[in-house]
Amino acid sequence: MTLYETAADCAQELPGARPGHPFGDDWEVLKVRGKVSMLMTEVPWRPVVILTSEPGEALALREHNSHITPGHHMDKKHWITLEDGDGVDESLVRELVTESSRLVVAHLPKAEQPVDPHPYAGGTRASR
């Protein structure tokens, strides 16, 4: 399964997630209650998935994997960019997509949260 397919499949399973193309056909954007949690596009001929992350998690992920870099066209502290490569397997992609959605949900007003985000908190492999 490709990076895009894995990220898109995982995103479709998440409560309240809605895909769209608000920035044009080249950008697939996943929103939860109107807030962006994932972007997929191609940057110089390679597919990437851009996700939100806790700042400490983002730093740890970037330090442990050369295929995870600061968020492309996003806040470099809170966003990461994934590309295909060693260490970016299906499990990690699913984990990071889920965590990105959870972070967005956690910052929504309680009445707008499609699911309680707290049972899913736990961090990613890089921070454990």
Side-chain angles (χ1 to χ4, degrees):
M1 196 176 289
T2 69
L3 177 67
Y4 273 10
E5 290 169 338
T6 301
D9 283 354
C10 180
Q12 290 176 2
E13 299 167 2
L14 299 172
R18 301 287 177 260
H21 293 90
F23 308 123
D25 292 339
D26 292 344
W27 288 83
E28 173 118 13
V29 178
L30 183 80
K31 292 184 178 184
V32 178
R33 302 290 197 256
K35 303 291 182 185
V36 174
S37 69
M38 179 177 78
L39 301 104
M40 295 189 300
T41 192
E42 287 195 15
V43 295
W45 308 283
R46 68 186 193 281
V48 295
V49 175
I50 305 162
L51 302 162
T52 189
S53 182
E54 291 283 354
E57 296 283 337
L59 182 59
L61 287 162
R62 290 190 307 261
E63 287 177 352
H64 289 91
N65 192 311
S66 63
H67 298 288
I68 300 176
T69 57
H72 182 73
H73 289 306
M74 303 299 278
D75 174 334
K76 307 303 185 210
K77 183 176 179 180
H78 293 95
W79 290 84
I80 57 174
T81 298
L82 306 176
E83 61 182 76
D84 279 321
D86 291 339
V88 179
D89 59 16
E90 184 174 337
S91 174
L92 179 62
V93 173
R94 289 182 152 286
E95 184 177 338
L96 295 175
V97 169
T98 301
E99 177 65 6
S100 182
S101 180
R102 187 199 67 78
L103 288 170
V104 170
V105 169
H107 287 92
L108 292 172
K110 195 161 190 84
E112 292 181 33
Q113 294 178 351
V115 65
D116 181 0
H118 301 293
Y120 302 101
T124 57
R125 288 184 264 179
S127 66
R128 291 186 206 152

